[in-house]
Amino acid sequence: MTRQPGPWHPPLAWSTWPLALLLATGAALAQGDAARGAAIAASRSQGLCVLCHALPGQPAALQGDLGPPLAGVGARLEADALRQRLLAPERFNPDTVMPSYGRTEGLQRVAPALRGQALLSAAQVDDVVAWLVTLR
């Protein structure tokens, strides 16, 4: 089963159902740990958020400015919307360079040892979302 691609969503094949399930059941997923989420987002080797975004509490010289600053994002977006932006950022901006943290297929330039693996596990996505909602 494949959907027709549109301007805001890529084709949804059977192989992407785990991602679709995460998007559809975001509210039902276990709550994450905000402290772990902050550590993941600030990590330059795991979440990588700090490479493109300004994160509250991080030294300005070590933050990116490619993406929007994350300060206040929890006041602007609900947890489910934040989760969707992590898992399928191209739905909100087809030209984004932000990676999809939950997808395992259709990616480019992935190291052979990492092929077939999501950038973050579902639990880690929950942790990052739990941290993002605290940024008010």
Side-chain angles (χ1 to χ4, degrees):
M1 175 180 164
T2 303
R3 290 187 339 191
Q4 293 298 315
W8 57 272
H9 63 280
L12 182 61
W14 285 110
S15 62
T16 59
W17 275 101
L19 170 62
L21 185 61
L22 281 173
L23 290 172
T25 62
L29 292 175
Q31 295 297 315
D33 180 278
R36 282 194 311 252
I40 291 167
S43 170
R44 299 177 80 75
S45 63
Q46 190 174 24
L48 311 171
C49 305
V50 73
L51 297 179
C52 296
H53 298 278
L55 278 60
Q58 296 294 313
L62 300 178
Q63 300 185 57
D65 60 5
L66 187 61
L70 297 182
V73 72
R76 296 188 304 273
L77 297 170
E78 300 286 329
D80 284 341
L82 291 165
R83 180 174 285 104
Q84 290 177 22
R85 287 174 188 266
L86 289 172
L87 296 175
E90 68 281 355
R91 289 185 60 208
F92 303 93
N93 177 0
D95 298 323
T96 189
V97 295
M98 182 171 162
S100 170
Y101 283 91
R103 190 172 46 199
T104 59
E105 295 182 8
L107 305 174
Q108 300 175 9
R109 300 188 312 196
V110 177
L114 300 176
R115 288 188 184 140
Q117 299 177 33
L119 288 172
L120 296 177
S121 70
Q124 290 171 315
V125 169
D126 283 346
D127 292 342
V128 172
V129 170
W131 172 67
L132 289 169
V133 298
T134 69
L135 302 180
R136 298 196 171 270

